[in-house]
Amino acid sequence: MTENLVNRTLSRIERECKLSASLQPHSTSELLKVGDERKSAAMRLLEIARSVFTMHQDQDGAPFLLRRDGLRIALPLRGGRHSVRAELARLFFERENRVASNAALADALGVIEGHCQQQQPCELHLRVARRDDAILVDLGDKSGRIVRIDAAGWRIEDSSPILFRRTELTSAMPAPEQDGVLGELKSLVNISPEDWPLLKAWLVAALMPDIPHPIAFIAAQQGAGKTTLMKMLLQLMDPSPVPIRSCPKDAETWAVQASAGWAIGIDNVSGLPAWFSDALCRAVSGDGYLRRRLYSDSNVSVLAFRRVIALTTIDAGALRGDLGERLLVIELPPIGSGKRRSEAEILAAFEKMRPRLLGGLFTLVSRALAALPNVKPRSWPRMADFAMIVAALDDANGTRALERFTEQASRVAADVVDSSPVASAVRDFMGGNQAEWEGNASALLERLAPIDSKPPRGWPRSARGLSGELRRVAPALSACGVHVVTPDQQSASEKSRKRVFTLRRLEERREEACEPSDSAKSSLQATEGGQHRTDARGSGPSEARDRIRQKPHSDAVVVGGARSNGWNGSMQSFSEDEPEFVIVGEVP
């Protein structure tokens, strides 16, 4: 048995050696022949590329090619069905009647990339672009046609004077119709008459690439048509095979998604992590993301973008102040059982009327461009560029959407205050007889800290944390009648004193807009019951530690205090550079 096993093993080794020898060239001439064939294929690929394309690089240094036949669409070297690599492989097979190897393609693309890097950078645009006084919209079809919109109207042009790029998320728009009316969309969407002009203004602003765009925050209970509405809005202005997406898991995933499309829809947002809230704010005003380039040690690839964003939610949870100022809230009413239609029916009707809707949208953009130079200067709210577009459309259509947008900003500010334990505590603290408080962050933290209960989630555990939170929620508090002056906002004479925060109750308070929610009211009742320190004397052990001295005016006292380290009750005295609180008003 052992002899048979040895013989079988020797036979197997002999067969493998013969097979290996048959796969290897048997002479130096054969080796040269294989090398010449590979080099010849790479050279022929280069010849094809030079005859069909011109070579360029974009504003971020990424190489791309343009067709010589006049189609002004940038083609990336690698990746996806629109890449130069795929096109070269197809052309090589058509002309040579054989398949180009991966090695030949890699060699050719390496040489092409080197040539691209020698060219002057060119600016690329995604879907929309501004040129002089006109807006250009890439229709996304194979012909390369664009729509040119200016104050005189809009028209379709066969070629673009500027360069566009496309991604896997760029789908073609239908040919717009000149007599289209955007108002036809109202028959398919569940929206109140008060919010309809704002939604039209958001669509118009979405086609203006050089301004920050507010985030369409579509909020409603389940079954109100939020997702269907967002899908139709995105498919109208920036059609895509995947218009609706879920919340990204990290910043890199978000940057890749955002850079690939002009408009982004995030569905069913149930909570916004701090990093994603900040990322949304940056995407509104303009963001950039760096990551290490593949197969390199120190080179980086750049993803820079400013995007149009829409979110749907039933309850998004706590809102940060900087994000709240960038929201355009669209609240959908419930749909009655007798008025409900299937999604397939609604989307089929939408597809049928999409050319007319698109033409109506372009007409509205033209009206806004004509009316914008005549918009009178005024006190604009946050997102002033969008507010100017709303005002221009109000002038053109006789609506009052700007008033609605301004009122909405106050309501959003109230939600932001309710979402922040610090902001709600400051609002409740200044809701009594106090007209002005002035002092350092440590003293304010001691005054606002709950005494008889555990601090709420998100409550700062240090004076530095409170200082940062005050800066973050200051605009929302101002909208609710409490003006916060940070140390860096003080005048030169005030800065000669110690570092001071000033809380000042505004004379004209927006009571209705900033009325606390039910949860906030219960917190306020607890505060009035003594759970927050809101008087000059404090309570418990801190009363003995307070130092009260009379100011020159009789109705003010200065209250110093001790710093609280965490929640274990340990105290320490202030340092000399810490400010004191000035209470102006009635002191019990």
Side-chain angles (χ1 to χ4, degrees), residues 36-111:
D36 291 342
E37 181 179 354
R38 174 181 169 184
K39 179 180 179 181
S40 179
M43 288 299 297
R44 284 194 287 272
L45 284 168
L46 282 174
E47 292 172 358
I48 293 173
R50 287 172 175 170
S51 66
V52 177
F53 305 103
T54 58
M55 303 178 188
H56 309 272
Q57 65 171 326
D58 65 14
Q59 61 269 34
D60 298 322
F64 70 92
L65 269 62
L66 289 176
R67 291 181 175 275
R68 292 185 181 273
D69 59 9
L71 191 65
R72 306 284 286 173
I73 304 298
L75 300 176
L77 292 192
R78 305 171 182 87
R81 51 192 171 93
H82 300 295
S83 66
V84 172
R85 189 183 192 279
E87 186 70 5
L88 278 180
R90 181 186 67 82
L91 292 172
F92 184 86
F93 180 79
E94 290 178 354
R95 300 186 182 189
E96 302 292 330
N97 197 28
R98 62 192 180 96
V99 177
S101 66
N102 288 331
L105 284 168
D107 289 347
L109 291 177
V111 175

Side-chain angles (χ1 to χ4, degrees), residues 313-354:
T313 184
I314 297 176
D315 179 14
L319 288 177
R320 293 164 69 94
D322 48 356
L323 178 62
E325 290 186 333
R326 293 169 169 84
L327 296 183
L328 174 66
V329 181
I330 305 295
E331 296 179 333
L332 305 185
I335 299 177
S337 57
K339 298 181 178 180
R340 192 172 298 277
R341 291 184 289 177
S342 68
E343 184 182 36
E345 177 187 355
I346 294 174
L347 294 181
F350 170 74
E351 286 299 323
K352 186 177 180 179
M353 64 174 63
R354 193 149 67 111

Side-chain angles (χ1 to χ4, degrees), residues 235-248:
Q235 291 296 79
L236 180 62
M237 63 176 174
D238 184 31
S240 166
V242 189
I244 306 298
R245 300 156 218 176
S246 58
C247 286

Side-chain angles (χ1 to χ4, degrees), residues 202-275:
W202 183 78
L203 284 170
V204 169
L207 295 182
M208 297 188 178
D210 49 357
I211 66 168
H213 308 90
I215 299 173
F217 196 73
I218 306 173
Q221 65 185 30
Q222 62 186 26
K226 302 182 297 296
T227 302
T228 303
L229 171 60
M230 182 169 67
K231 187 180 299 184
M232 289 189 291
L233 297 177
L234 297 179
Q235 291 296 79
L236 180 62
M237 63 176 174
D238 184 31
S240 166
V242 189
I244 306 298
R245 300 156 218 176
S246 58
C247 286
K249 62 180 181 179
D250 53 40
E252 182 174 356
T253 303
W254 162 251
V256 172
Q257 290 183 5
S259 64
W262 172 245
I264 308 160
I266 307 295
D267 196 23
N268 290 327
V269 176
S270 57
L272 291 171
W275 74 264

Side-chain angles (χ1 to χ4, degrees), residues 52-197:
V52 177
F53 305 103
T54 58
M55 303 178 188
H56 309 272
Q57 65 171 326
D58 65 14
Q59 61 269 34
D60 298 322
F64 70 92
L65 269 62
L66 289 176
R67 291 181 175 275
R68 292 185 181 273
D69 59 9
L71 191 65
R72 306 284 286 173
I73 304 298
L75 300 176
L77 292 192
R78 305 171 182 87
R81 51 192 171 93
H82 300 295
S83 66
V84 172
R85 189 183 192 279
E87 186 70 5
L88 278 180
R90 181 186 67 82
L91 292 172
F92 184 86
F93 180 79
E94 290 178 354
R95 300 186 182 189
E96 302 292 330
N97 197 28
R98 62 192 180 96
V99 177
S101 66
N102 288 331
L105 284 168
D107 289 347
L109 291 177
V111 175
I112 292 172
E113 185 171 4
H115 282 295
C116 290
Q117 292 174 350
Q118 302 300 316
Q119 309 303 315
Q120 290 296 322
C122 303
E123 186 174 5
L124 298 182
H125 305 273
L126 182 63
R127 185 65 79 178
V128 295
R130 172 85 71 168
R131 182 175 176 85
D132 299 329
D133 295 330
I135 292 175
L136 308 182
V137 182
D138 176 23
L139 288 179
D141 57 19
K142 294 182 179 180
S143 66
R145 295 181 303 168
I146 65 164
V147 173
R148 180 184 180 90
I149 312 172
D150 54 31
W154 62 270
R155 62 184 181 274
I156 298 177
E157 296 183 352
D158 293 333
S159 62
S160 171
I162 61 175
L163 300 179
F164 283 98
R165 69 179 181 94
R166 295 174 182 173
T167 71
E168 298 298 317
L169 297 181
T170 304
S171 295
M173 288 179 166
E177 297 182 4
Q178 282 285 353
D179 58 348
V181 179
L182 186 60
E184 294 183 35
L185 184 62
K186 288 181 65 178
S187 63
L188 301 180
V189 300
N190 173 40
I191 190 170
S192 65
E194 295 80 11
D195 285 340
W196 172 246

